[in-house]
Amino acid sequence: MPEIFQRASPLADIAIQGRFGADHGAPGVTLSVRHPALIVTVIARKGKAKTLAEALKNWRGATVQWAGAEQYFVLDRPFDEVRKKLDGLASCSDQSHGRVIIRIEGPKVRQVLCKGTPVDLHESEFEIGKSVLTQMAHVGVHLTRVERDAFELSVFRGFSESFWEWLTEQAEEFGYQVI
Amino acid sequence: MLVKCPHCGTRPVEEFTFNGDASVQRPASNDPKSMDQWFDYVYLRDNPKGRFDEYAHHSSGCRAWLVVTRDTQSHEIFNVVTARDYAKKRVAP
Ligand SMILES: [Zn+2]
């Protein structure tokens, strides 16, 4: 089937590449937008939570993130593949167009994010691969630690512009770059 | 004020939306004779001083419905369970 619609990132004209904020030394954080992204919401059918959790384990090529009780985000796999694989176990819905994933990394990442969330981001409490749902600047955020000093923030598309504004403001004091 | 969500851990109360008395039970019958029970269920609420079971939606978190048991006077929180577990326990006490 021909691809009729081209997905445009809502941050295409907002997340301008460059170096911003405090301009001494290395940038405190580096921001980037993951676009395009494949994002599928997966919610367990009644009584299938355990079987679903098993099915999601060791799925090559997919990134599975906790997203609430008996709910997950499956990233990096096309919607049809996810739906077929989880047939009967879960309800799936394509969110690729509905959410924006912002990656933030660097030595000051924790200092930037902790201005917005009460969640304890210390490594001893928040290990690599862990996801939480929380609120930053009144915006619902799905937050995942992908590396020791790197997080991914997934927000609804319609909030992404104001969220980006808030996030970059918090990063200004440390200096940040957008790549 | 902190609420310990069974799914997310301890979170500030701002992340939750409260939605009233969890102890009321929907009448099983649609018989017009049960109108009084329906009136109670829809409109009448106690205003207890002390222990109170209250629906809470973790709206800015995992989006699960919970039941928070707190003291309406001191706001001390005794217990937080999922609304699912609360309902199950009520059916089979
Ligand atoms: Zn929660």
Side-chain angles (χ1 to χ4, degrees), chain B residues 24-37:
Chain B
V24 288
Q25 289 202 60
R26 195 176 193 275
S29 167
N30 279 329
D31 192 316
K33 275 182 246 163
S34 64
M35 273 311 273
D36 280 356
Q37 288 169 37

Side-chain angles (χ1 to χ4, degrees), chain B residues 25 83-93:
Chain B
Q25 289 202 60
R84 182 194 279 181
D85 287 346
Y86 186 84
K88 275 184 182 163
K89 209 172 156 188
R90 186 154 63 181
V91 173

Side-chain angles (χ1 to χ4, degrees), chain B residues 5 7-8 58 62:
Chain B
C5 171
H7 302 304
C8 304
H58 196 184
C62 64

Side-chain angles (χ1 to χ4, degrees), chain A residues 8 14 19 27 46 48 69 81 95 114 119 131 143 151 159 162:
Chain A
I14 312 282
R19 168 82 198 247
K46 195 174 181 183
K48 301 287 185 191
E81 183 190 325
Q95 299 281 324
C114 74
V119 174
S131 296
L143 179 68
F151 288 82
F159 291 110
S162 91

Side-chain angles (χ1 to χ4, degrees), chain B:
Chain B
M1 202 170 155
L2 299 170
V3 179
K4 197 173 176 192
C5 171
H7 302 304
C8 304
T10 305
R11 296 296 181 90
V13 74
E14 292 78 17
E15 287 194 2
F16 299 83
T17 308
F18 285 83
N19 198 28
D21 195 346
S23 67
V24 288
Q25 289 202 60
R26 195 176 193 275
S29 167
N30 279 329
D31 192 316
K33 275 182 246 163
S34 64
M35 273 311 273
D36 280 356
Q37 288 169 37
W38 275 99
F39 190 82
D40 269 15
Y41 169 70
V42 176
Y43 297 111
L44 299 184
R45 292 292 179 271
D46 294 332
N47 186 18
K49 180 177 172 184
R51 224 179 153 90
F52 184 51
D53 292 349
E54 197 171 25
Y55 281 122
H57 185 229
H58 196 184
S59 42
S60 298
C62 64
R63 302 177 304 275
W65 277 102
L66 311 170
V67 174
V68 176
T69 305
R70 71 175 167 102
D71 190 307
T72 56
Q73 206 177 10
S74 66
H75 294 308
E76 181 186 352
I77 292 173
F78 304 108
N79 196 25
V80 184
V81 295
T82 62
R84 182 194 279 181
D85 287 346
Y86 186 84
K88 275 184 182 163
K89 209 172 156 188
R90 186 154 63 181
V91 173

